[in-house]
Amino acid sequence: MKEKKIKPGLVIVFIIVLLAGCAGSDAGRPSPAETDSSEPVTEKTTLTFWRNSGNNAENSAYDQLVARFMEENPGITIKMSPIPYADYDTKLRTSIASGQPPDIMSIDAPNMASYAEAGALLPLTDYFNSDGNIEDIPPSTLSAYTYKDEIYMAPLTESSIALFYNKKMFEAKGIPLPSRNPEQPITWDQVLDAARKLTEPDKGIYGIDPAQGFQNAGATAYFKYPIIWQFGGEVMSPDGTTSQGYLDSAETKKAIRFYSDLYNAHKVSALEYPPDPFPSGKLAMTIDGSWSLSHFAANFPDFKLGEDYDVAPLPKEAEQAVANGSWALAISSRSGNAEAAWEFVNFVTGYEGQKMYVSMTKDIPVRYSVAKEIGELNEYPMNIFVVQNQRFGRSRPITPIFPQMSEAVNKVFEEVTIGKRSVDESVAEAIKKIDAAYSLLEAQK
Protein backbone atom coordinates (compact mmCIF):
# COMPACT_ATOMS: atom_id res chain seq x y z
CA MET A 1 0.00 0.00 0.00
CA LYS A 2 1.30 3.43 -0.85
CA GLU A 3 2.01 5.44 2.26
CA LYS A 4 0.30 8.77 2.67
CA LYS A 5 2.86 11.54 3.00
CA ILE A 6 2.48 14.11 5.74
CA LYS A 7 4.25 17.43 5.59
CA PRO A 8 7.11 17.54 8.17
CA GLY A 9 6.00 20.99 9.35
CA LEU A 10 2.59 19.63 10.32
CA VAL A 11 4.18 16.79 12.25
CA ILE A 12 6.35 19.20 14.21
CA VAL A 13 3.46 21.54 15.00
CA PHE A 14 1.36 18.58 16.17
CA ILE A 15 4.10 17.36 18.47
CA ILE A 16 4.63 20.88 19.85
CA VAL A 17 0.97 20.94 20.86
CA LEU A 18 1.22 17.42 22.22
CA LEU A 19 4.24 18.31 24.32
CA ALA A 20 2.55 21.47 25.53
CA GLY A 21 -0.44 19.41 26.56
CA CYS A 22 1.82 17.12 28.55
CA ALA A 23 3.37 20.17 30.17
CA GLY A 24 0.01 21.46 31.29
CA SER A 25 -1.22 18.19 32.74
CA ASP A 26 2.20 17.12 34.06
CA ALA A 27 1.72 13.87 32.13
CA GLY A 28 5.14 12.56 31.26
CA ARG A 29 6.82 15.20 33.42
CA PRO A 30 8.98 13.67 36.17
CA SER A 31 8.24 14.60 39.75
CA PRO A 32 10.95 16.39 41.75
CA ALA A 33 11.62 13.10 43.50
CA GLU A 34 12.19 11.35 40.18
CA THR A 35 14.49 14.12 39.01
CA ASP A 36 16.52 14.10 42.21
CA SER A 37 16.97 10.33 42.29
CA SER A 38 19.61 10.20 39.56
CA GLU A 39 21.84 7.21 40.03
CA PRO A 40 25.42 7.95 41.03
CA VAL A 41 28.03 7.49 38.33
CA THR A 42 28.99 3.80 38.34
CA GLU A 43 30.98 1.50 36.09
CA LYS A 44 27.77 0.55 34.32
CA THR A 45 26.55 4.03 33.45
CA THR A 46 25.54 4.33 29.78
CA LEU A 47 24.25 7.59 28.29
CA THR A 48 22.50 8.07 24.97
CA PHE A 49 23.41 11.24 23.09
CA TRP A 50 21.56 12.49 20.01
CA ARG A 51 22.88 15.32 17.89
CA ASN A 52 22.27 16.76 14.47
CA SER A 53 24.83 15.46 12.02
CA GLY A 54 27.12 18.26 10.83
CA ASN A 55 29.94 18.60 8.34
CA ASN A 56 33.04 16.40 8.36
CA ALA A 57 34.94 18.66 10.76
CA GLU A 58 32.03 18.83 13.23
CA ASN A 59 31.45 15.08 13.12
CA SER A 60 35.14 14.36 13.60
CA ALA A 61 35.33 16.81 16.51
CA TYR A 62 32.43 15.13 18.30
CA ASP A 63 33.93 11.70 17.68
CA GLN A 64 37.16 12.81 19.33
CA LEU A 65 35.37 14.54 22.21
CA VAL A 66 33.36 11.42 23.00
CA ALA A 67 36.46 9.22 22.80
CA ARG A 68 38.42 11.59 25.02
CA PHE A 69 35.63 11.79 27.60
CA MET A 70 35.25 8.01 27.83
CA GLU A 71 39.01 7.62 28.14
CA GLU A 72 39.02 10.02 31.08
CA ASN A 73 35.79 8.62 32.54
CA PRO A 74 35.97 4.84 32.07
CA GLY A 75 32.82 4.35 34.13
CA ILE A 76 30.66 6.19 31.59
CA THR A 77 29.80 5.01 28.09
CA ILE A 78 28.44 7.52 25.57
CA LYS A 79 26.29 6.07 22.81
CA MET A 80 26.20 8.91 20.27
CA SER A 81 23.71 8.98 17.40
CA PRO A 82 24.29 11.59 14.68
CA ILE A 83 20.98 12.25 12.91
CA PRO A 84 20.59 14.15 9.60
CA TYR A 85 19.48 17.73 10.10
CA ALA A 86 16.31 17.36 8.01
CA ASP A 87 15.03 14.57 10.25
CA TYR A 88 16.46 15.60 13.57
CA ASP A 89 13.84 17.83 15.17
CA THR A 90 10.93 15.58 14.23
CA LYS A 91 12.66 12.46 15.57
CA LEU A 92 13.66 14.19 18.78
CA ARG A 93 10.18 15.55 19.46
CA THR A 94 8.67 12.15 18.69
CA SER A 95 11.05 10.42 21.11
CA ILE A 96 10.12 12.90 23.85
CA ALA A 97 6.39 12.57 23.21
CA SER A 98 6.69 8.77 23.38
CA GLY A 99 8.57 8.93 26.68
CA GLN A 100 11.84 7.56 25.29
CA PRO A 101 14.15 10.55 24.81
CA PRO A 102 17.94 10.36 24.78
CA ASP A 103 19.78 11.34 27.96
CA ILE A 104 21.59 14.16 26.18
CA MET A 105 20.47 16.04 23.09
CA SER A 106 21.54 18.93 20.92
CA ILE A 107 18.89 21.59 20.30
CA ASP A 108 18.96 24.79 18.27
CA ALA A 109 18.62 27.82 20.55
CA PRO A 110 15.29 29.17 19.16
CA ASN A 111 13.61 25.80 19.81
CA MET A 112 14.71 25.56 23.43
CA ALA A 113 11.64 27.19 24.97
CA SER A 114 9.16 24.76 23.43
CA TYR A 115 11.07 21.81 24.89
CA ALA A 116 11.46 23.52 28.26
CA GLU A 117 7.78 24.50 28.40
CA ALA A 118 6.88 20.86 27.79
CA GLY A 119 8.96 19.79 30.77
CA ALA A 120 11.30 17.81 28.52
CA LEU A 121 14.54 19.43 29.69
CA LEU A 122 16.39 19.33 32.98
CA PRO A 123 17.19 22.81 34.37
CA LEU A 124 20.97 23.30 34.44
CA THR A 125 21.15 26.48 36.51
CA ASP A 126 22.38 24.79 39.68
CA TYR A 127 24.95 22.79 37.74
CA PHE A 128 26.29 25.93 36.07
CA ASN A 129 26.46 27.78 39.36
CA SER A 130 28.25 24.85 40.97
CA ASP A 131 30.98 24.00 38.45
CA GLY A 132 30.00 25.35 35.04
CA ASN A 133 32.35 28.37 35.17
CA ILE A 134 29.34 30.51 34.31
CA GLU A 135 31.27 33.80 34.48
CA ASP A 136 33.26 32.66 31.43
CA ILE A 137 30.17 32.96 29.20
CA PRO A 138 28.71 36.31 28.07
CA PRO A 139 25.39 36.98 29.85
CA SER A 140 23.77 37.79 26.50
CA THR A 141 24.77 34.33 25.26
CA LEU A 142 23.34 32.59 28.32
CA SER A 143 20.08 34.49 27.83
CA ALA A 144 19.53 32.54 24.61
CA TYR A 145 19.42 29.34 26.65
CA THR A 146 17.40 30.65 29.58
CA TYR A 147 13.64 30.27 29.95
CA LYS A 148 11.61 31.42 32.95
CA ASP A 149 14.80 32.15 34.91
CA GLU A 150 16.30 28.69 34.36
CA ILE A 151 19.25 27.80 32.14
CA TYR A 152 18.28 24.77 30.07
CA MET A 153 21.17 24.32 27.66
CA ALA A 154 24.95 24.50 27.66
CA PRO A 155 26.34 26.47 24.69
CA LEU A 156 29.36 25.38 22.70
CA THR A 157 29.84 27.74 19.75
CA GLU A 158 28.47 30.87 18.12
CA SER A 159 28.18 32.06 14.57
CA SER A 160 27.85 35.68 13.55
CA ILE A 161 27.18 37.99 10.64
CA ALA A 162 28.73 41.25 9.48
CA LEU A 163 28.82 43.74 6.62
CA PHE A 164 30.91 42.55 3.67
CA TYR A 165 31.73 45.24 1.13
CA ASN A 166 33.58 45.47 -2.19
CA LYS A 167 36.58 47.62 -1.35
CA LYS A 168 37.48 48.42 -4.96
CA MET A 169 33.96 49.55 -5.77
CA PHE A 170 33.98 51.88 -2.76
CA GLU A 171 37.34 53.35 -3.77
CA ALA A 172 36.27 53.80 -7.40
CA LYS A 173 33.27 55.87 -6.28
CA GLY A 174 35.24 57.79 -3.65
CA ILE A 175 33.11 56.43 -0.82
CA PRO A 176 34.76 56.36 2.63
CA LEU A 177 35.49 52.81 3.74
CA PRO A 178 33.58 51.52 6.79
CA SER A 179 35.61 51.13 9.97
CA ARG A 180 37.05 47.75 10.94
CA ASN A 181 36.48 48.57 14.59
CA PRO A 182 33.76 46.22 15.94
CA GLU A 183 32.38 49.05 18.06
CA GLN A 184 32.27 51.69 15.34
CA PRO A 185 29.73 50.55 12.74
CA ILE A 186 28.36 52.77 10.03
CA THR A 187 24.66 53.60 10.15
CA TRP A 188 21.98 52.20 7.89
CA ASP A 189 21.55 55.70 6.45
CA GLN A 190 25.22 55.63 5.47
CA VAL A 191 24.72 52.20 3.94
CA LEU A 192 21.82 53.56 1.90
CA ASP A 193 23.84 56.56 0.74
CA ALA A 194 26.69 54.29 -0.39
CA ALA A 195 24.28 51.81 -2.01
CA ARG A 196 22.71 54.54 -4.13
CA LYS A 197 26.12 55.49 -5.49
CA LEU A 198 27.16 51.89 -6.08
CA THR A 199 23.99 50.62 -7.78
CA GLU A 200 24.21 50.33 -11.58
CA PRO A 201 21.10 48.44 -12.71
CA ASP A 202 22.09 48.59 -16.39
CA LYS A 203 25.14 46.49 -15.46
CA GLY A 204 23.20 44.26 -13.08
CA ILE A 205 25.06 45.71 -10.06
CA TYR A 206 23.17 46.42 -6.85
CA GLY A 207 24.29 48.22 -3.74
CA ILE A 208 23.17 46.02 -0.84
CA ASP A 209 21.63 42.69 0.03
CA PRO A 210 20.49 43.60 3.56
CA ALA A 211 19.61 40.16 4.91
CA GLN A 212 20.41 37.36 2.47
CA GLY A 213 17.26 37.92 0.48
CA PHE A 214 14.11 35.95 1.28
CA GLN A 215 14.69 32.55 2.75
CA ASN A 216 12.89 30.42 5.31
CA ALA A 217 11.60 31.74 8.62
CA GLY A 218 14.70 30.61 10.48
CA ALA A 219 16.96 32.66 8.23
CA THR A 220 14.61 35.62 8.61
CA ALA A 221 14.99 35.43 12.38
CA TYR A 222 18.76 35.32 12.16
CA PHE A 223 19.29 38.00 9.53
CA LYS A 224 16.30 40.35 9.80
CA TYR A 225 15.58 40.56 13.52
CA PRO A 226 18.88 42.43 14.08
CA ILE A 227 17.61 45.16 11.72
CA ILE A 228 14.51 45.53 13.89
CA TRP A 229 16.65 45.74 17.03
CA GLN A 230 19.09 48.16 15.40
CA PHE A 231 16.20 50.57 14.79
CA GLY A 232 15.18 50.25 18.44
CA GLY A 233 12.28 47.87 17.81
CA GLU A 234 11.26 44.50 19.24
CA VAL A 235 9.52 41.38 17.98
CA MET A 236 7.90 39.96 21.11
CA SER A 237 7.38 40.71 24.78
CA PRO A 238 10.23 39.71 27.12
CA ASP A 239 8.16 36.80 28.46
CA GLY A 240 7.51 35.50 24.93
CA THR A 241 3.72 35.56 25.21
CA THR A 242 2.67 38.24 22.69
CA SER A 243 3.84 40.56 19.93
CA GLN A 244 1.19 43.16 20.77
CA GLY A 245 2.93 46.42 21.60
CA TYR A 246 6.24 45.19 20.19
CA LEU A 247 5.93 44.09 16.57
CA ASP A 248 3.51 46.98 16.03
CA SER A 249 5.75 49.59 17.68
CA ALA A 250 6.77 52.66 15.68
CA GLU A 251 10.42 51.56 15.79
CA THR A 252 9.72 48.08 14.45
CA LYS A 253 7.51 49.40 11.67
CA LYS A 254 10.20 51.92 10.75
CA ALA A 255 12.73 49.11 10.41
CA ILE A 256 10.42 47.05 8.20
CA ARG A 257 9.65 50.04 5.98
CA PHE A 258 13.34 50.85 5.68
CA TYR A 259 14.05 47.29 4.63
CA SER A 260 11.23 47.32 2.07
CA ASP A 261 12.30 50.70 0.71
CA LEU A 262 15.74 49.36 -0.16
CA TYR A 263 13.96 47.23 -2.76
CA ASN A 264 10.98 49.31 -3.80
CA ALA A 265 11.68 53.01 -3.22
CA HIS A 266 15.46 53.23 -3.55
CA LYS A 267 15.90 50.16 -5.78
CA VAL A 268 19.37 49.44 -4.41
CA SER A 269 18.46 45.81 -3.65
CA ALA A 270 17.15 43.09 -5.97
CA LEU A 271 14.78 40.21 -5.31
CA GLU A 272 16.98 37.88 -7.34
CA TYR A 273 20.72 37.71 -7.92
CA PRO A 274 22.96 35.47 -9.98
CA PRO A 275 24.93 32.81 -8.08
CA ASP A 276 27.58 34.26 -5.74
CA PRO A 277 26.80 37.89 -6.65
CA PHE A 278 29.20 39.39 -4.10
CA PRO A 279 32.48 37.75 -5.19
CA SER A 280 31.42 37.96 -8.85
CA GLY A 281 31.10 41.76 -8.64
CA LYS A 282 27.31 42.05 -8.95
CA LEU A 283 26.73 43.11 -5.36
CA ALA A 284 28.64 45.90 -3.65
CA MET A 285 27.58 45.09 -0.06
CA THR A 286 26.03 42.10 1.63
CA ILE A 287 25.23 40.97 5.15
CA ASP A 288 26.88 37.58 5.46
CA GLY A 289 28.36 35.18 7.98
CA SER A 290 31.84 34.37 9.18
CA TRP A 291 31.55 31.05 7.35
CA SER A 292 31.69 32.87 4.00
CA LEU A 293 35.33 33.83 4.51
CA SER A 294 36.42 30.24 3.87
CA HIS A 295 33.93 29.92 1.00
CA PHE A 296 35.39 32.92 -0.81
CA ALA A 297 38.95 31.79 -0.15
CA ALA A 298 38.30 28.30 -1.48
CA ASN A 299 36.09 29.11 -4.46
CA PHE A 300 37.16 32.64 -5.44
CA PRO A 301 40.92 32.76 -4.84
CA ASP A 302 41.28 35.90 -6.94
CA PHE A 303 38.76 37.74 -4.76
CA LYS A 304 41.02 38.59 -1.86
CA LEU A 305 40.23 39.86 1.60
CA GLY A 306 41.89 43.22 2.20
CA GLU A 307 42.38 43.85 -1.51
CA ASP A 308 39.06 43.23 -3.22
CA TYR A 309 36.74 43.17 -0.23
CA ASP A 310 36.68 43.88 3.47
CA VAL A 311 34.49 43.18 6.49
CA ALA A 312 32.92 45.68 8.88
CA PRO A 313 30.58 45.36 11.87
CA LEU A 314 26.85 45.17 11.23
CA PRO A 315 25.31 48.58 10.54
CA LYS A 316 23.44 50.31 13.36
CA GLU A 317 20.73 52.91 13.60
CA ALA A 318 19.55 53.51 17.15
CA GLU A 319 21.84 50.81 18.54
CA GLN A 320 24.15 47.89 17.74
CA ALA A 321 22.72 44.39 17.76
CA VAL A 322 23.38 40.93 16.35
CA ALA A 323 21.50 37.67 16.85
CA ASN A 324 23.16 35.04 19.02
CA GLY A 325 22.34 31.47 19.99
CA SER A 326 23.25 28.27 18.18
CA TRP A 327 23.04 24.52 18.68
CA ALA A 328 23.70 23.61 22.31
CA LEU A 329 23.50 20.60 24.61
CA ALA A 330 20.59 19.77 26.91
CA ILE A 331 19.80 16.96 29.34
CA SER A 332 16.49 15.14 29.33
CA SER A 333 14.34 15.59 32.43
CA ARG A 334 13.69 11.85 32.19
CA SER A 335 17.33 10.87 32.35
CA GLY A 336 18.08 8.53 35.23
CA ASN A 337 21.72 9.58 35.15
CA ALA A 338 21.60 13.36 35.28
CA GLU A 339 24.88 13.70 37.19
CA ALA A 340 26.78 11.62 34.64
CA ALA A 341 25.05 13.48 31.79
CA TRP A 342 26.19 16.80 33.26
CA GLU A 343 29.75 15.47 33.51
CA PHE A 344 29.71 14.89 29.74
CA VAL A 345 27.92 18.14 28.87
CA ASN A 346 30.25 20.15 31.09
CA PHE A 347 33.29 18.47 29.52
CA VAL A 348 32.19 19.16 25.94
CA THR A 349 31.13 22.77 26.54
CA GLY A 350 33.78 23.58 29.14
CA TYR A 351 37.18 25.09 28.48
CA GLU A 352 39.05 21.96 27.33
CA GLY A 353 36.24 20.49 25.25
CA GLN A 354 35.33 23.79 23.64
CA LYS A 355 38.93 24.53 22.74
CA MET A 356 39.32 21.07 21.24
CA TYR A 357 36.10 21.43 19.24
CA VAL A 358 36.72 24.88 17.75
CA SER A 359 40.34 24.07 16.90
CA MET A 360 38.93 21.50 14.50
CA THR A 361 35.79 23.23 13.25
CA LYS A 362 37.05 26.85 13.22
CA ASP A 363 33.79 27.96 14.81
CA ILE A 364 33.54 30.83 17.28
CA PRO A 365 33.65 29.61 20.90
CA VAL A 366 31.21 31.08 23.40
CA ARG A 367 33.68 31.16 26.29
CA TYR A 368 35.80 34.27 26.80
CA SER A 369 38.78 32.16 27.88
CA VAL A 370 38.81 30.03 24.72
CA ALA A 371 38.31 32.98 22.37
CA LYS A 372 41.12 34.85 24.09
CA GLU A 373 43.59 32.02 23.49
CA ILE A 374 42.97 31.62 19.76
CA GLY A 375 45.04 34.26 18.01
CA GLU A 376 43.01 34.68 14.84
CA LEU A 377 39.84 35.38 16.84
CA ASN A 378 41.50 38.45 18.30
CA GLU A 379 42.58 39.82 14.93
CA TYR A 380 40.76 41.26 11.93
CA PRO A 381 38.42 40.07 10.52
CA MET A 382 37.38 37.41 13.05
CA ASN A 383 37.53 39.84 15.97
CA ILE A 384 34.56 41.65 14.44
CA PHE A 385 32.37 38.56 14.74
CA VAL A 386 33.63 37.69 18.21
CA VAL A 387 33.27 41.17 19.73
CA GLN A 388 29.82 41.66 18.22
CA ASN A 389 28.58 38.46 19.83
CA GLN A 390 30.17 39.14 23.18
CA ARG A 391 29.09 42.77 23.52
CA PHE A 392 26.06 43.25 21.28
CA GLY A 393 24.56 39.77 20.98
CA ARG A 394 20.82 39.39 21.54
CA SER A 395 18.74 36.25 21.71
CA ARG A 396 15.92 35.77 19.30
CA PRO A 397 12.56 35.76 21.14
CA ILE A 398 12.51 33.10 23.86
CA THR A 399 9.05 31.65 23.35
CA PRO A 400 7.52 28.16 23.11
CA ILE A 401 5.77 29.25 19.90
CA PHE A 402 8.95 30.33 18.14
CA PRO A 403 8.21 28.44 14.87
CA GLN A 404 4.76 30.00 14.52
CA MET A 405 5.97 33.45 15.56
CA SER A 406 8.94 33.31 13.22
CA GLU A 407 6.79 32.22 10.29
CA ALA A 408 4.37 35.11 10.89
CA VAL A 409 7.18 37.68 11.02
CA ASN A 410 8.81 36.18 7.96
CA LYS A 411 5.55 36.68 6.08
CA VAL A 412 5.47 40.35 7.10
CA PHE A 413 8.81 41.01 5.40
CA GLU A 414 7.68 39.14 2.31
CA GLU A 415 4.25 40.78 2.08
CA VAL A 416 5.53 44.31 2.61
CA THR A 417 8.55 44.01 0.33
CA ILE A 418 7.44 41.63 -2.41
CA GLY A 419 3.68 42.04 -2.19
CA LYS A 420 3.90 45.76 -1.34
CA ARG A 421 1.25 45.38 1.31
CA SER A 422 0.75 48.01 4.00
CA VAL A 423 3.07 47.56 6.97
CA ASP A 424 0.24 48.30 9.37
CA GLU A 425 -2.07 45.68 7.85
CA SER A 426 0.58 43.00 7.60
CA VAL A 427 1.86 43.51 11.13
CA ALA A 428 -1.68 43.51 12.57
CA GLU A 429 -2.40 40.18 10.90
CA ALA A 430 0.89 38.72 12.12
CA ILE A 431 0.09 39.69 15.71
CA LYS A 432 -3.28 37.94 15.47
CA LYS A 433 -1.58 34.75 14.27
CA ILE A 434 1.06 34.90 16.98
CA ASP A 435 -1.45 35.55 19.74
CA ALA A 436 -3.68 32.76 18.42
CA ALA A 437 -0.75 30.34 18.49
CA TYR A 438 0.01 31.22 22.09
CA SER A 439 -3.65 30.96 23.07
CA LEU A 440 -3.79 27.48 21.53
CA LEU A 441 -0.74 26.49 23.53
CA GLU A 442 -2.29 27.77 26.74
CA ALA A 443 -5.54 25.94 25.97
CA GLN A 444 -3.68 22.64 25.96
CA LYS A 445 -2.63 23.05 29.58
Side-chain angles (χ1 to χ4, degrees):
M1 180 182 293
K2 187 175 180 180
E3 294 182 355
K4 184 178 180 180
K5 294 184 177 180
I6 302 175
K7 294 181 180 179
L10 294 179
V11 175
I12 293 174
V13 170
F14 170 76
I15 295 175
I16 288 174
V17 173
L18 176 61
L19 290 178
C22 291
S25 63
D26 283 332
R29 185 196 295 259
S31 67
E34 291 174 322
T35 301
D36 293 339
S37 63
S38 298
E39 298 176 6
V41 179
T42 69
E43 293 182 355
K44 297 181 179 180
T45 300
T46 297
L47 300 172
T48 52
F49 170 36
W50 286 14
R51 65 176 180 83
N52 61 308
S53 181
N55 58 37
N56 291 337
E58 293 166 346
N59 293 336
S60 179
Y62 263 117
D63 286 341
Q64 293 194 32
L65 282 169
V66 168
R68 174 81 169 272
F69 176 80
M70 290 194 296
E71 179 182 348
E72 296 181 1
N73 299 270
I76 304 175
T77 297
I78 304 294
K79 289 188 175 181
M80 180 172 63
S81 299
I83 299 172
Y85 173 80
D87 303 324
Y88 184 77
D89 200 50
T90 299
K91 286 189 175 182
L92 181 58
R93 291 184 185 277
T94 301
S95 75
I96 293 171
S98 66
Q100 297 180 316
D103 293 287
I104 304 161
M105 61 200 83
S106 64
I107 298 175
D108 197 9
N111 296 327
M112 176 269 298
S114 65
Y115 288 97
E117 178 69 18
L121 307 183
L122 182 72
L124 303 180
T125 310
D126 289 344
Y127 289 108
F128 266 106
N129 289 332
S130 175
D131 65 346
N133 198 11
I134 195 170
E135 68 279 357
D136 195 30
I137 304 173
S140 60
T141 297
L142 275 178
S143 70
Y145 309 100
T146 302
Y147 181 62
K148 294 183 178 178
D149 299 322
E150 291 280 6
I151 302 171
Y152 281 99
M153 301 205 296
L156 177 60
T157 63
E158 277 284 12
S159 60
S160 191
I161 57 179
L163 175 67
F164 287 62
Y165 64 94
N166 190 305
K167 184 177 181 180
K168 289 186 175 179
M169 285 186 179
F170 268 68
E171 292 173 338
K173 297 287 187 177
I175 302 172
L177 300 180
S179 171
R180 291 181 172 185
N181 187 328
E183 298 186 73
Q184 294 181 359
I186 62 175
T187 66
W188 275 107
D189 282 341
Q190 289 174 310
V191 168
L192 174 58
D193 182 63
R196 284 170 169 159
K197 298 173 181 176
L198 293 162
T199 298
E200 298 183 60
D202 56 321
K203 296 181 180 179
I205 298 174
Y206 288 87
I208 176 71
D209 181 351
Q212 290 295 303
F214 296 87
Q215 303 180 51
N216 58 39
T220 288
Y222 194 71
F223 283 93
K224 296 184 177 68
Y225 291 7
I227 298 176
I228 290 175
W229 300 329
Q230 289 154 7
F231 275 77
E234 298 288 348
V235 178
M236 286 195 81
S237 59
D239 61 5
T241 62
T242 182
S243 284
Q244 187 75 44
Y246 299 90
L247 191 61
D248 56 352
S249 69
E251 293 82 2
T252 299
K253 289 182 178 180
K254 181 180 179 181
I256 296 170
R257 289 191 183 96
F258 179 87
Y259 179 89
S260 175
D261 284 347
L262 293 175
Y263 292 84
N264 298 319
H266 309 301
K267 302 187 184 302
V268 296
S269 302
L271 294 177
E272 294 184 6
Y273 297 102
D276 290 299
F278 182 64
S280 63
K282 296 300 182 180
L283 189 59
M285 293 179 283
T286 184
I287 303 299
D288 211 338
S290 55
W291 55 85
S292 289
L293 293 168
S294 58
H295 169 69
F296 297 151
N299 298 288
F300 299 89
D302 294 330
F303 188 61
K304 299 184 183 300
L305 177 68
E307 295 181 16
D308 300 290
Y309 78 98
D310 265 324
V311 181
L314 279 183
K316 64 175 287 186
E317 199 58 32
E319 56 189 88
Q320 275 188 265
V322 60
N324 63 14
S326 188
W327 288 84
L329 301 188
I331 298 174
S332 169
S333 59
R334 282 184 170 272
S335 176
N337 294 290
E339 295 295 331
W342 170 251
E343 289 296 320
F344 176 71
V345 169
N346 199 27
F347 167 76
V348 172
T349 63
Y351 173 81
E352 292 294 342
Q354 200 165 117
K355 186 176 180 181
M356 181 178 173
Y357 184 89
V358 301
S359 68
M360 297 180 67
T361 65
K362 306 304 178 185
D363 287 321
I364 299 172
V366 300
R367 291 189 175 273
Y368 292 119
S369 58
V370 179
K372 186 177 180 180
E373 284 201 14
I374 300 175
E376 66 178 306
L377 297 182
N378 298 283
E379 301 172 353
Y380 171 85
M382 290 304 296
N383 68 313
I384 291 175
F385 301 100
V386 173
V387 172
Q388 281 188 148
N389 270 109
Q390 291 181 348
R391 301 184 185 179
F392 307 108
R394 292 185 55 170
S395 60
R396 286 156 284 181
I398 308 297
T399 175
I401 58 162
F402 184 88
Q404 300 96 315
M405 178 278 301
S406 190
E407 186 61 44
V409 178
N410 184 49
K411 190 171 182 180
V412 170
F413 278 95
E414 290 182 353
E415 288 181 342
V416 174
T417 305
I418 301 175
K420 300 181 181 179
R421 188 182 183 186
S422 159
V423 173
D424 293 339
E425 292 179 0
S426 186
V427 165
E429 184 174 313
I431 291 174
K432 288 182 180 178
K433 291 180 179 178
I434 294 167
D435 287 351
Y438 197 84
S439 295
L440 176 61
L441 179 70
E442 289 292 292
Q444 301 299 318
K445 293 184 177 182

